[in-house]
């Protein structure tokens, strides 16, 4: 029935929406930033534990749509063990993929995040996918405030 | 169903014929904005092709034609809401501008530090923020009448807020997020008993029910043209003549003056005092055409038909496991706001769109209402006179399918 949506709602996204990974609080996190999308009410808190410039643990709390939940869940998995610089590079690639720039090159670079590439056909939903990454960006820049997609 | 001529009505709305994502369009976002009948589209096209010029200015033929049609539209609005005089019909951009106009003219004249303005807990942002701005400017205080979990005004709670400091009640006639129709006659009587004027935000109510401002005895009634099957960018402020006379102008410019020198300006009479600058001429005339169309269909017939649609949709929705209706007031207009267990409204919106169904997903510019019901957002199906029971079946089937897909 929802054939047209298979590119947007891939099974991996349903899976992460049903069972979000790293959905917990990190006590005494080194970084903690809130992300908010006022358009749809999505709200998440991202927690990071750092060892030097390496992200050794990442988790989140909050509620959002399937796209934003899957995006933040996947992100917390993929950034663990990455340096700040590597994570920022990944954000750049991810951003290019979701906004339709970069095309194939960025698809390869983002690995399993490629399941979210479908949002570029849905401009109204791009912010759902990028909220997690904007929040991460603020956390890496050590901005201890809440960020908003608007 | 009654003998409402819905097939004939649908044929008057060309946009409804199309397919969206290869499915017949099911347009259920009417509370955000309504589609336009040929009558409205043609009136605007005809004006620009044959009669267009600026109004109230030239002595030339086209200016006279435009002015005649423009002022005829004012009379149509006056009759549609049964105002006492066409001087009481002010054309503005929309509901939002009308409320801001009242806040900045009536408000800044009559409301001072320590005074109170009463709104309700189910207001659209446009009936919250202009009053907050006025409160910041004057030191007045905004009071919010409580609502219950059915989405109804708690009337006793409202009445308790009225006192000698209350200078205005500004309340929604029908809620855009919940569908609740407020007991406005009772509200107005209670406020008037204490000498307090009342503004009704009629943006949602006006397309769904007959409105008679003299019978209601409201002091201000505001609405937008685009929710009344008319053009966007045009709306109406109705105000009782004595109140409007006593208010200073909102904006200065052309048309709102009688005489200007560099030393002083004498303002024009009502309604022109509040209509500075070239108005949205074609949109006013288009609104007049929408009113002609609605008069032919009949507001009572529309209200009765939409009540049947809402009853049918509510009954169907209640049978869906995991669906919770947000807003179950006893007295409701044709709006069905809902949430689904574990499925975010934005996902509902995108999935229904893939089936050709347009609903709104979001906070509906009523974030305090969302906070009250402890939801980030809702999905909202809102019905118009051109919707059908079959479209509601398509919606319900779509909801059932997406629940299945989400698992």
């Amino acid at each position: 029935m929802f054939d047209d949506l298979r590119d947007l709602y891939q099974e991996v996204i349903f899976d992460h929406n049903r069972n979000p990974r790293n959905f917990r609080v990190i006590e005494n996190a080194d970084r903690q930033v809130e992300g908010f999308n006022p358009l749809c009410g999505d709200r998440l808190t991202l927690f990071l534990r750092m060892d030097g410039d390496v992200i050794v643990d990442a988790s989140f709390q909050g509620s959002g749509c399937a796209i934003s939940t899957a995006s933040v869940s996947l992100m917390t998995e993929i950034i663990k063990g990455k340096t700040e610089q590597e994570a920022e590079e990944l954000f750049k690639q991810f951003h290019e993929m979701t906004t339709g720039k970069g095309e194939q090159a960025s698809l390869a670079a983002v690995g399993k995040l490629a399941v979210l590439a479908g949002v570029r056909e849905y401009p109204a939903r791009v912010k759902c996918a990028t909220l997690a990454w904007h929040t991460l960006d603020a956390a890496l820049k050590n901005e201890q405030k809440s960020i908003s997609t608007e | 169903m009654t003998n409402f001529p819905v097939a004939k009505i649908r044929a008057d709305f060309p946009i409804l014929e199309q397919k969206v994502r290869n499915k017949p369009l099911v347009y259920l976002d009417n509370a955000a904005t309504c589609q336009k009948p040929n009558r409205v589209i043609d009136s605007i096209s005809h004006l620009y092709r044959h009669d267009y010029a600026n109004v109230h200015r030239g002595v030339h033929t086209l200016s006279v034609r435009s002015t005649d049609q423009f002022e005829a539209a004012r009379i149509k609005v006056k009759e549609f809401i049964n105002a006492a005089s066409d001087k009481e019909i002010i054309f503005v951009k929309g509901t939002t501008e009308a409320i801001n106009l009242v806040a900045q003219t009536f408000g800044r004249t009559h409301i001072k530090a320590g005074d109170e303005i009463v709104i309700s807990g189910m207001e659209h942002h446009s009936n919250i923020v202009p009053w907050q701005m006025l409160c910041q400017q004057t030191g007045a205080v905004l009071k919010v009448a409580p609502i219950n979990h059915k989405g109804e005004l708690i009337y006793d709670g409202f009445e308790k807020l009225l006192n000698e400091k209350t200078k205005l009640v500004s309340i929604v006639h029908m809620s855009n997020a919940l569908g609740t129709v407020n007991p406005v006659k009772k509200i107005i009587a209670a406020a008037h008993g204490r000498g307090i004027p009342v503004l009704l935000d009629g943006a949602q109510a006006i397309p769904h029910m007959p409105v008679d401002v003299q019978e209601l005895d409201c002091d201000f009634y505001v609405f937008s043209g685009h929710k009344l099957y008319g053009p966007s960018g045009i709306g109406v402020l109705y105000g009782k003549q004595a109140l409007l006379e006593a208010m200073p102008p909102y904006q200065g410019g052309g048309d709102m003056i009688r005489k200007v020198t560099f030393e002083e300006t004498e303002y024009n009479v009502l309604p022109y005092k509040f209509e500075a600058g070239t108005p949205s001429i074609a949109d006013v005339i288009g609104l007049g055409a929408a009113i002609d169309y609605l008069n032919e269909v009949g507001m009572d017939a529309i209200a009765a038909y939409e009540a049947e649609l809402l009853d049918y949709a509510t009954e169907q929705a209640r049978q869906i496991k995991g669906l919770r209706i947000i807003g179950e007031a006893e007295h409701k207009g044709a709006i069905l706001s809902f949430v689904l267990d574990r499925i975010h409204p934005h996902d509902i919106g995108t999935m229904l769109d893939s089936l050709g169904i347009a609903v709104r997903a979001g906070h509906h510019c009523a974030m305090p209402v969302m906070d009250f019901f402890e939801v980030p957002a809702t999905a909202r199906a809102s019905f118009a006179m051109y919707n059908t029971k079959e479209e509601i079946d398509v919606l319900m089937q779509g909801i059932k399918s997406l629940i299945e897909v989400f698992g």
Side-chain angles (χ1 to χ4, degrees):
Chain A
M1 190 156 190
F2 296 98
D3 291 351
D4 297 349
L5 287 179
R6 264 183 307 195
D7 283 348
L8 182 62
Y9 290 96
Q10 299 196 26
E11 194 45 46
V12 178
I13 289 175
F14 284 128
D15 174 40
H16 277 261
N17 183 51
R18 271 182 225 121
N19 307 297
R21 319 297 196 266
N22 301 306
F23 188 76
R24 58 188 159 82
V25 176
I26 297 177
E27 299 295 341
N28 305 317
D30 296 303
R31 311 276 169 87
Q32 179 178 337
V33 174
E34 268 183 55
F36 179 46
N37 181 347
L39 194 70
C40 56
D42 287 0
R43 204 179 274 280
L44 65 88
T45 307
L46 181 69
F47 304 89
L48 299 180
R49 203 155 56 77
M50 309 294 295
D51 182 2
D53 73 341
V54 178
I55 301 163
V56 289
D57 196 9
S59 73
F60 79 102
Q61 294 275 277
S63 72
C65 65
I67 307 292
S68 86
T69 303
S71 180
V72 66
S73 171
L74 283 159
M75 183 187 80
T76 54
E77 282 193 320
I78 206 167
I79 60 173
K80 267 190 240 179
K82 296 238 178 333
T83 64
E84 290 187 29
Q85 204 188 343
E86 286 166 343
E88 288 285 11
E89 182 56 30
L90 204 50
F91 172 38
K92 202 176 138 223
Q93 302 287 348
F94 183 78
H95 194 265
E96 284 179 7
M97 174 187 83
T98 52
T99 53
K101 298 168 202 150
E103 296 297 323
Q104 295 308 319
S106 52
L107 272 184
V110 298
K112 64 182 176 184
L113 299 179
V115 295
L116 287 158
V119 294
R120 66 181 163 207
E121 302 298 329
Y122 297 84
R125 305 301 302 276
V126 169
K127 283 174 180 167
C128 308
T130 54
L131 174 64
W133 289 87
H134 285 292
T135 311
L136 174 67
D137 185 48
L140 294 177
K141 288 177 177 145
N142 226 346
E143 292 166 7
Q144 297 290 347
K145 59 180 173 76
S146 64
I147 69 115
S148 160
T149 55
E150 296 302 303
Chain B
M1 288 276 171
T2 50
N3 294 325
F4 193 74
V6 67
K8 187 171 163 286
I9 287 170
R10 289 184 71 81
D12 291 332
F13 289 78
I15 203 169
L16 298 177
E17 285 165 24
Q18 70 186 294
K19 288 192 167 185
V20 164
R21 298 190 185 269
N22 293 319
K23 313 280 191 326
L25 169 65
V26 175
Y27 186 79
L28 300 176
D29 194 18
N30 296 288
T33 197
C34 277
Q35 301 300 346
K36 319 304 172 198
N38 283 320
R39 186 81 63 92
V40 170
I41 299 166
D42 294 347
S43 76
I44 294 170
S45 170
H46 187 274
L47 177 81
Y48 282 132
R49 285 172 189 280
H50 303 286
D51 301 329
Y52 179 78
N54 212 332
V55 292
H56 306 141
R57 284 167 178 79
V59 294
H60 61 78
T61 303
L62 293 190
S63 177
V64 172
R65 281 191 206 156
S66 280
T67 303
D68 286 351
Q69 290 177 43
F70 184 89
E71 290 304 325
R74 196 188 304 275
I75 305 286
K76 288 173 191 177
V77 173
K78 177 222 160 215
E79 287 169 357
F80 188 64
I81 61 171
N82 193 32
S85 162
D86 56 339
K87 293 190 179 90
E88 298 176 322
I89 306 300
I90 316 289
F91 287 121
V92 290
K93 275 196 302 188
T95 305
T96 298
E97 188 177 50
I99 296 174
N100 278 279
L101 188 159
V102 174
Q104 292 302 314
T105 60
F106 175 86
R108 294 197 76 165
T109 308
H110 298 284
I111 297 174
K112 294 180 288 298
D115 288 346
E116 294 176 0
I117 300 157
V118 174
I119 62 171
S120 81
M122 67 177 91
E123 301 304 326
H124 187 282
H125 296 162
S126 63
N127 198 27
I128 301 172
V129 184
W131 306 115
Q132 287 175 331
M133 289 165 67
L134 178 68
C135 287
Q136 279 169 4
Q137 290 159 349
T138 60
V141 181
L142 192 60
K143 296 282 178 179
V144 184
I147 61 174
N148 64 25
H149 277 88
K150 287 166 87 178
E152 295 166 325
L153 181 75
I154 299 173
Y155 181 79
D156 292 345
F158 160 76
E159 209 175 6
K160 272 188 203 135
L161 291 179
L162 303 180
N163 62 53
E164 70 285 354
K165 287 183 283 185
T166 314
K167 290 296 182 294
L168 183 72
V169 171
S170 187
I171 198 160
V172 70
H173 192 172
M174 172 176 154
S175 156
N176 75 309
L178 303 168
T180 309
V181 176
N182 275 318
V184 287
K185 280 193 84 166
K186 202 170 155 190
I187 288 168
I188 291 164
H192 284 181
R194 294 165 178 82
I196 304 162
V198 178
L199 181 150
L200 293 183
D201 168 359
Q204 288 300 330
I206 195 91
H208 297 299
M209 62 191 80
V211 170
D212 181 332
V213 292
Q214 292 191 79
E215 197 213 339
L216 289 170
D217 198 26
C218 55
D219 299 277
F220 299 103
Y221 197 93
V222 299
F223 62 95
S224 299
H226 71 95
K227 293 194 206 299
L228 191 63
Y229 307 94
S232 56
I234 193 68
V236 172
L237 163 65
Y238 158 82
K240 284 182 181 167
Q241 192 170 343
L243 283 170
L244 293 174
E245 298 277 13
M247 283 152 56
Y250 180 46
Q251 294 180 328
D255 229 21
M256 54 76 73
I257 50 84
R258 182 176 279 158
K259 187 178 167 214
V260 177
T261 66
F262 285 118
E263 287 69 41
E264 61 175 2
T265 292
E266 191 183 321
Y267 301 129
N268 205 340
V269 295
L270 290 174
Y272 311 111
K273 181 171 87 174
F274 292 105
E275 294 180 354
T278 293
S280 201
I281 300 164
D283 297 321
V284 167
I285 291 165
L287 176 59
I291 288 172
D292 286 341
Y293 185 83
L294 287 164
N295 285 336
E296 281 169 28
V297 180
M299 290 309 297
D300 286 314
I302 291 169
Y305 177 68
E306 289 179 348
E308 285 182 38
L309 284 182
L310 180 67
D311 285 350
Y312 182 71
T314 304
E315 190 185 302
Q316 298 295 309
R318 282 190 180 135
Q319 287 167 22
I320 297 177
K321 202 165 163 274
L323 184 151
R324 174 185 162 210
I325 297 173
I326 303 291
E328 296 196 279
E330 290 297 325
H331 195 190
K332 246 188 101 169
I335 284 175
L336 185 76
S337 234
F338 63 95
V339 291
L340 299 178
D341 281 351
R342 296 180 298 113
I343 307 177
H344 191 279
H346 256 205
D347 295 316
I348 299 171
T350 298
M351 297 206 114
L352 292 179
D353 176 63
S354 79
L355 304 176
I357 306 165
V359 298
R360 171 86 188 269
H363 54 62
H364 316 297
C365 297
M367 285 186 184
V369 175
M370 301 297 111
D371 290 344
F372 178 79
F373 285 96
E374 296 178 329
V375 293
T378 73
R380 180 187 69 187
S382 51
F383 309 107
M385 62 174 160
Y386 44 63
N387 289 127
T388 64
K389 205 173 144 185
E390 290 70 32
E391 289 180 309
I392 291 168
D393 290 338
V394 173
L395 168 70
M396 296 303 161
Q397 190 50 52
I399 294 170
K400 286 176 197 160
S401 304
L402 75 88
I403 290 173
E404 216 166 277
V405 169
F406 262 77

